[in-house]
Amino acid sequence: MARTTSRSSGPEAARNRTPQPLPRRRRTFGDFVKALLAFVALAVLVVGVPAALALSMGWPLPHGMPSVETFQQDITVDTFLNVLTVVVWLAWAQFTACVLVEVKAAVSGVGLPAHVPGAGPSQALARQLVAAVLLLGATAASFAPGISQLGQQLEDHHRPAVAASAQATPGGLFGQERQQTADTAAAVAHQAEQAAPQAGTGDEGATKFYRIQPPEGRHHDSLWEISQRHLDDGRRYKEIYALNKDRVQPDGSKLSEASLIRPGWIMEMPADAHGGELVETPDDSPKAAEGTTRGVPRVSEELSKQITDYARTGGQERGQDHRDAAAGQRGDHDTSRFTLPAQKPAPAAEHAGTPSASAGESGDGGGFGLPEALLGAPLLAAGLLGALGRRRRNTLWQSAMGAVGGRRDMESPPPTGSAADVQDALLVGADPEGVTRLDRSLRGLAAALAAESRALPTVYAAWLSNGDLHLQLAQPAGRPPAPWQLGQDQTFWMLSRADAEAYEEVDTAAPFPGLVSLGTLDDSRLLLNLEAVPGIVSLSGTREDRHAVFSSVAAELATNGWSDRMTITLVGFGEELGALAPSRLRHLDDIEALLETMEAETRQRRGALGTAGHDSVLTGRTGPAQHTRWAPHLVLLAEEPNAGEAVRLAELAADAGRLGIGYLVGTESGELPGASWEMEITEDGRLLAPLLGLELQAQTLPREQHDAVVRLFVEAGPGGTGGPDDPDGPHTPAGAGSPPFLVDVSEQGRPAVYARLVGSYEIIGLDTPDGERSVLMHEALALLLLHREGVHPRVLSSALWPRGVTDDVREAILDRLRGWLGTDPDGAPRLRSDRSGRLLLAKTVVSDLDVLRSLYYEATRGRGAGNRAVRGRLLTDALGLVRGPLLADRPEGRYGWLSHEIVDAQLPLLVADIGLALSEFHLEKDRASKAIEALDRAMSTSPHDERLWNELLRATHTAGDPAKLRVLAADLVERSGARGLPPRTEALLDELFPEWRTRPSAAG
């Protein structure tokens, strides 16, 4: 009959057990030599160095108070040697302090050794030597059985205790469940059957225990490594976990997360465990009463009491668990559960809803033709929208600085087809205010904790619920700093939306950059902290569904606004996603390349943490090097690894949590060795993790939207063309073609409605509308004028009401706008809808920006290209339209959508292009003063354009006015500040005004 891990079912039996050590593995001669050499080295460093200094150098300091004459004497060789001796004494004192700290930690057996300030390398050396010396007792025991008790005492109590991680073990983490999985039950039963033949080799009723200790040369131990050493298979770590979960450890906490353990904890082992470092508790027997088991002495009273108390927790309460497991009842692999935070009702607002409601729901048919996946992903959409704007601006400036002769081509046309739909979805779905609140809230929390000299807590997840932020901690971390509050229990820290909006920018590192949206549950959005997961997160489902989740995670991590630096490694998918963030995203071809890369990085990060004296990246991020180190590295592996690769990944991931490394791995079967958290994406878009208590509506980026997003970014770059699998064919490269809208600039082309946008906003041809909606109608018209290609109604409503609006309010403002604009003489409405539903203005409604673009196009590529007089007149007229920045007098709190527009970067460059062209026109006829006047006019709108400054230098030099050239050079130097002048401007000054470097102004 199969014998399970023997244990009496009642607490009385547990109290009668006396822990005894199992026969230990005999040490080798090499172990003895290593320990002996370490002892000699410690003796030399701790005793020999001071003895040598005392005998050879004597007392290096003066025997009395030095006088003034002492400091005036010449420095002799003796003085130098005395100073050097003092330095050596100080170094010896620091090293001795490190040795004492490490010995104390080793004797205690539990906890992280105290950090000696400024002694990173010294303390690391002391730790290695002390660990080796403490093994000397155990080594001697294998050669001299008569002192085996000393060896056991040292092994059990005097090994250095290095904490696994600042993340610690999440005692009481989330909701705890008592069930066991069918897989664990089967594994325990199978292990018991294999242990039965060996039952006769030990005492009946014996239960084996292991006390967690850090292995030699490592900073932690893990269930995987323990299982590998004592069960010959690391994958059996779940059996150890199943035997010990939820049981109170000597330090009062519980094992509730596989692979997260602390030195000093007691682990009950399966019956077939073997090898040294194991202790067993036999049932009452004469041998036990005599204090020996098979001739091996008992362990120390302290450890005996700890194991006896721990064994008591496995009595009646866990006896039922074992009976359930034997019966094959199904439970969970993991006791961690994500708990939905307590929610409060959403605040009422007139005609408005929450951003998510605006983005994801509509009374007129869902997404109104826009991709729902992006409409319901406000943080992802905000990140993509911000990154897209930055890419377009960079491309604009690159085209300006690299233009031949200082002149650029025209701007690229707006996106079309699926790319246009995706861009509209980004504009509608994005919640940039939410991203800003989240970023400032997290950084503010980190700054407040640093001010209180408190470490960052380990955060497993964040919930965004009706504007409030809830952080779900791995374990209780005390009361949070104000204005944060405790949530529904000790593992929740909560910040209300009102308090979050009061936060301002702080100069601190992003504390939790690995947070990424997974989906929604009711009105709450879950962000998982990938870098804090204690091991691998596996994702099962069809290949297409998995890739949709992976694409969403990669895109949000690459563009999110709550991180500083980050590395995201993609394997098996997403090479084209590099266009989103080339500095963050990298792609590897296969799993073997990934394993080689991560093995090297894991070693490097372990060494860096040890050298810096940090236990985890969380403590490192609050230190003095917070902005330059400890950035997370997140690995997204879309394809399932084979068995060997999975084992290597699990070994790497066992220590990943404290190193700031996270792993998300795809699997077909749903079973991945070493996976701590298992998730599944279903065909209907739900993300399931029953063992974590999750059932979310998943956030995904399906293939069609994935390709359209990539196409947007590719086209936004220099020389951009269509993205991967572009269904709409080739596209016009950036910088080519004509403006999106040309107007008739002749007298016959006078428009019916003319709006001035460059400078103060003014409308000619329409009466000012009455009522409170006048401001909204002016703003709506400005948006339509800046997008002659058309504006989606959802984009218009989200621009006017960023927090959402009901359909009837939106339709009412559109009706008023149509009535205000009226119709042309032929009866055609001046505001209509195209086939896709986008709102278009008639050609009779024109802005000065349309005229500005058309005049410049006609001057340089139209009629003015072959007629100098026409070119001069058109350029002069164009520059005359410039009255200041775009919408200079817009009311405060309105026109927030302009932050997503590229036009605010296009306008200064366009004005600079016109000024340069007009300056060139005048200099052809040696009219330097006219050229300077044109450049000055252009610089009023584009004051930072390097091309204008360089051309102004040339025009001033041509005018032959050294005084003005000197003043201009001084102004340039002052403007450049500490950054210095651009290389091209500096070279031009050297050519036109060589003495600028020797002038006092240059020194300033």
Side-chain angles (χ1 to χ4, degrees):
M1 179 176 179
R3 184 171 77 89
T4 61
T5 303
S6 301
R7 179 187 19 230
S8 300
S9 60
E12 292 300 325
R15 279 194 291 269
N16 290 332
R17 293 176 179 168
T18 302
Q20 303 292 337
L22 292 173
R24 307 178 55 77
R25 177 181 66 85
R26 293 180 61 84
R27 303 286 180 174
T28 65
F29 182 74
D31 295 334
F32 178 79
V33 172
K34 178 181 178 181
L36 187 60
L37 291 177
F39 176 78
V40 172
L42 270 180
V44 170
L45 292 172
V46 176
V47 180
V49 169
L53 289 174
L55 293 176
S56 61
M57 302 302 298
W59 183 250
L61 299 177
H63 294 281
M65 182 65 67
S67 62
V68 177
E69 289 76 11
T70 302
F71 296 100
Q72 295 175 345
Q73 295 176 358
D74 294 336
I75 298 177
T76 64
V77 174
D78 290 339
T79 304
F80 177 77
L81 290 177
N82 285 337
V83 172
L84 184 60
T85 302
V86 170
V87 173
V88 175
W89 272 108
L90 292 175
W92 171 83
Q94 183 191 60
F95 179 76
T96 303
C98 295
V99 172
L100 294 175
V101 167
E102 293 298 327
V103 170
K104 179 180 179 299
V107 171
S108 66
V110 179
L112 177 69
H115 176 59
V116 179
S122 297
Q123 190 163 6
L125 175 61
R127 182 176 304 161
Q128 297 294 330
L129 292 176
V130 169
V133 169
L134 293 178
L135 289 175
L136 181 60
T139 304
S142 66
F143 283 90
I147 59 172
S148 59
Q149 184 173 4
L150 172 62
Q152 179 62 37
Q153 181 75 8
L154 290 173
E155 183 68 11
D156 287 330
H157 294 287
H158 293 227
R159 295 182 62 186
V162 181
S165 142
Q167 297 171 207
T169 301
L173 169 64
F174 311 136
Q176 303 297 329
E177 293 201 354
R178 299 289 182 179
Q179 296 181 342
Q180 304 228 358
T181 63
D183 294 337
T184 302
V188 172
H190 177 68
Q191 164 261 312
E193 290 176 2
Q194 291 189 340
Q198 304 173 17
T201 63
D203 292 333
E204 289 298 326
T207 303
K208 301 173 185 177
F209 294 89
Y210 171 78
R211 190 185 193 195
I212 304 300
Q213 297 283 0
E216 299 176 43
R218 296 282 299 277
H219 298 287
H220 76 293
D221 207 346
S222 69
L223 292 185
W224 181 282
E225 293 172 335
I226 296 169
S227 178
Q228 186 65 45
R229 292 197 305 269
H230 299 293
L231 299 175
D232 299 324
D233 187 354
R235 289 170 293 184
R236 291 182 62 186
Y237 77 94
K238 293 184 179 180
E239 299 175 31
I240 305 176
Y241 169 64
L243 291 171
N244 294 277
K245 69 173 183 176
D246 299 333
R247 298 173 67 180
V248 178
Q249 293 291 338
D251 61 359
S253 55
K254 297 179 181 180
L255 173 67
S256 53
E257 193 65 58
S259 301
L260 284 182
I261 55 178
R262 293 177 180 171
W265 278 12
I266 307 298
M267 292 287 112
E268 181 180 338
M269 301 292 290
D272 61 335
H274 59 82
E277 304 174 337
L278 294 181
V279 174
E280 68 179 20
T281 58
D283 293 330
D284 279 345
S285 65
K287 291 182 180 181
E290 294 171 5
T292 61
T293 302
R294 296 184 298 278
V296 182
R298 285 184 296 178
V299 298
S300 67
E301 293 182 4
E302 177 188 0
L303 181 57
S304 173
K305 184 178 184 303
Q306 288 180 351
I307 294 179
T308 300
D309 292 342
Y310 185 72
R312 187 176 298 123
T313 68
Q316 294 176 345
E317 178 180 349
R318 292 187 53 81
Q320 181 62 42
D321 290 342
H322 277 277
R323 288 190 293 272
D324 292 345
Q329 295 185 6
R330 179 164 180 81
D332 64 326
H333 282 282
D334 205 314
T335 58
S336 301
R337 296 184 66 82
F338 287 91
T339 306
L340 184 67
Q343 302 182 47
K344 64 182 182 181
E350 182 181 3
H351 304 304
T354 64
S356 59
S358 171
E361 299 176 7
S362 174
D364 56 5
F368 209 155
L370 299 180
E372 289 288 349
L374 291 170
L375 291 175
L379 304 183
L380 169 61
L384 289 172
L385 196 60
L388 184 61
R390 290 190 296 271
R391 185 172 176 86
R392 285 173 172 166
R393 284 171 172 80
N394 289 337
T395 301
L396 275 176
W397 283 108
Q398 290 174 16
S399 68
M401 296 301 103
V404 178
R407 184 180 302 172
R408 301 180 307 115
D409 289 328
M410 301 300 293
E411 285 80 15
S412 58
T416 58
S418 60
D421 291 338
V422 163
Q423 178 172 273
D424 287 343
L426 295 178
L427 290 167
V428 173
D431 183 14
E433 293 180 358
V435 170
T436 300
R437 285 197 306 272
L438 176 61
D439 179 48
R440 292 183 177 180
S441 300
L442 296 177
R443 292 180 195 265
L445 174 63
L449 289 171
E452 297 177 4
S453 300
R454 295 171 62 184
L456 290 170
T458 300
V459 172
Y460 275 171
W463 292 89
L464 293 173
S465 179
N466 295 326
D468 297 340
L469 173 60
H470 304 256
L471 296 183
Q472 198 161 357
L473 312 183
Q475 62 180 2
R479 295 197 65 85
W484 289 77
Q485 305 171 14
L486 283 175
Q488 59 204 57
D489 59 42
Q490 294 290 321
T491 60
F492 275 95
W493 284 5
M494 190 274 289
L495 182 70
S496 69
R497 176 171 183 154
D499 290 330
E501 290 174 343
Y503 268 118
E504 298 180 353
E505 290 188 14
V506 293
D507 184 22
T508 190
F512 308 114
L515 287 169
V516 62
S517 303
L518 289 185
T520 56
L521 179 62
D522 297 332
D523 291 330
S524 298
R525 181 171 304 278
L526 172 67
L527 285 79
L528 176 68
N529 190 6
L530 268 181
E531 66 168 334
V533 176
I536 294 173
V537 179
S538 69
L539 177 67
S540 61
T542 66
R543 188 175 188 273
E544 181 180 357
D545 292 332
R546 292 200 317 270
H547 279 223
V549 174
F550 274 98
S551 294
S552 172
V553 170
E556 185 169 300
L557 288 173
T559 60
N560 75 46
W562 52 89
S563 62
D564 298 317
R565 297 185 304 113
M566 183 186 302
T567 300
I568 307 159
T569 298
L570 311 180
V571 185
F573 82 107
E575 183 175 5
E576 65 283 354
L577 288 174
L580 275 60
S583 62
R584 287 193 177 191
L585 285 164
R586 69 177 180 183
H587 179 269
L588 295 179
D589 294 331
D590 52 46
I591 300 178
E592 184 60 34
L594 170 69
L595 291 171
E596 293 178 1
T597 300
M598 298 313 299
E599 285 170 353
E601 180 158 347
T602 298
R603 288 193 300 268
Q604 186 272 331
R605 291 201 174 209
R606 284 173 179 164
L609 283 175
T611 302
H614 295 306
D615 192 50
S616 78
V617 295
L618 290 180
T619 54
R621 284 178 189 157
T622 56
Q626 55 178 296
H627 287 290
T628 58
R629 305 177 72 178
W630 322 123
H633 186 166
L634 304 175
V635 176
L636 308 182
L637 174 56
E639 301 301 328
E640 183 174 8
N642 60 38
E645 293 166 341
V647 170
R648 292 173 65 185
L649 271 178
E651 292 172 348
L652 289 172
D655 197 25
R658 76 183 189 98
L659 302 179
I661 302 175
Y663 294 88
L664 178 61
V665 181
T667 172
E668 291 281 354
S669 61
E671 291 291 334
L672 187 69
S676 297
W677 295 349
E678 299 173 350
M679 299 184 181
E680 176 189 1
I681 176 68
T682 65
E683 293 183 357
D684 59 354
R686 290 180 301 135
L687 188 66
L688 308 179
L691 310 183
L692 300 176
L694 285 179
E695 182 173 346
L696 305 173
Q697 185 62 40
Q699 177 174 298
T700 62
L701 189 61
R703 186 69 196 184
E704 183 179 358
Q705 282 85 62
H706 168 281
D707 291 344
V709 166
V710 172
R711 180 179 146 200
L712 275 176
F713 276 81
V714 170
E715 291 182 348
T721 56
D725 302 325
D726 188 356
D728 299 311
H731 294 271
T732 306
S738 61
F741 179 70
L742 288 173
V743 299
D744 185 357
V745 295
S746 66
E747 287 295 330
Q748 292 74 25
R750 185 178 299 275
V753 178
Y754 182 69
R756 290 175 175 168
L757 304 178
V758 183
S760 299
Y761 190 9
E762 180 182 355
I763 299 176
I764 301 172
L766 292 175
D767 295 331
T768 302
D770 298 329
E772 60 182 12
R773 299 297 183 185
S774 175
V775 174
L776 288 174
M777 293 171 67
H778 276 77
E779 186 173 353
L781 180 58
L783 179 61
L784 291 166
L785 286 167
L786 293 177
H787 289 277
R788 305 303 306 220
E789 73 279 8
V791 177
H792 197 286
R794 294 289 300 278
V795 174
L796 180 66
S797 62
S798 65
L800 299 180
W801 296 279
R803 295 193 175 185
V805 69
T806 57
D807 295 342
D808 57 339
V809 174
R810 181 185 66 214
E811 292 303 322
I813 198 69
L814 288 178
D815 289 340
R816 289 193 181 191
L817 191 58
R818 292 187 183 97
W820 181 42
L821 291 174
T823 59
D824 286 330
D826 60 359
R830 292 175 180 154
L831 179 62
R832 62 180 181 85
S833 299
D834 65 8
R835 292 182 178 179
S836 65
R838 288 178 171 82
L839 301 169
L840 292 173
L841 288 173
K843 292 185 177 181
T844 55
V845 182
V846 174
S847 73
D848 54 356
L849 185 56
D850 297 325
V851 177
L852 193 66
R853 287 169 170 158
S854 300
L855 287 171
Y856 179 63
Y857 179 80
E858 285 291 331
T860 56
R861 300 191 181 188
R863 292 176 293 139
N867 188 318
R868 188 179 185 280
V870 172
R871 181 168 74 254
R873 177 174 57 81
L874 292 173
L875 291 173
T876 303
D877 291 345
L879 202 56
L881 292 175
V882 179
R883 301 176 298 120
L886 187 70
L887 297 167
D889 60 351
R890 58 183 179 267
E892 185 177 358
R894 303 300 310 176
Y895 297 84
W897 47 270
L898 277 174
S899 61
H900 305 311
E901 298 287 341
I902 192 63
V903 67
D904 65 333
Q906 290 174 335
L907 178 60
L909 292 178
L910 176 60
V911 173
D913 291 338
I914 296 171
L916 291 170
L918 189 55
S919 172
E920 179 185 2
F921 172 81
H922 288 304
L923 287 177
E924 289 175 355
K925 294 295 185 180
D926 296 327
R927 294 195 292 261
S929 59
K930 290 288 187 180
I932 293 173
E933 180 182 345
L935 294 169
D936 285 337
R937 183 72 178 270
M939 291 180 70
S940 65
T941 298
S942 185
H944 304 296
D945 196 304
E946 181 187 352
R947 299 172 301 159
L948 288 176
W949 283 99
N950 292 349
E951 192 65 19
L952 187 58
L953 284 173
R954 293 189 183 95
T956 305
H957 180 266
T958 302
D961 191 341
K964 286 186 177 181
L965 187 60
R966 186 180 305 112
V967 172
L968 183 58
D971 192 11
L972 270 172
V973 172
E974 183 179 357
R975 283 174 174 268
S976 64
R979 295 176 301 174
L981 293 172
R984 284 188 291 191
T985 302
E986 190 172 334
L988 184 61
L989 275 175
D990 287 337
E991 175 188 348
L992 303 179
F993 187 52
E995 58 269 30
W996 75 276
R997 293 182 182 275
T998 59
R999 295 279 175 175
S1001 60

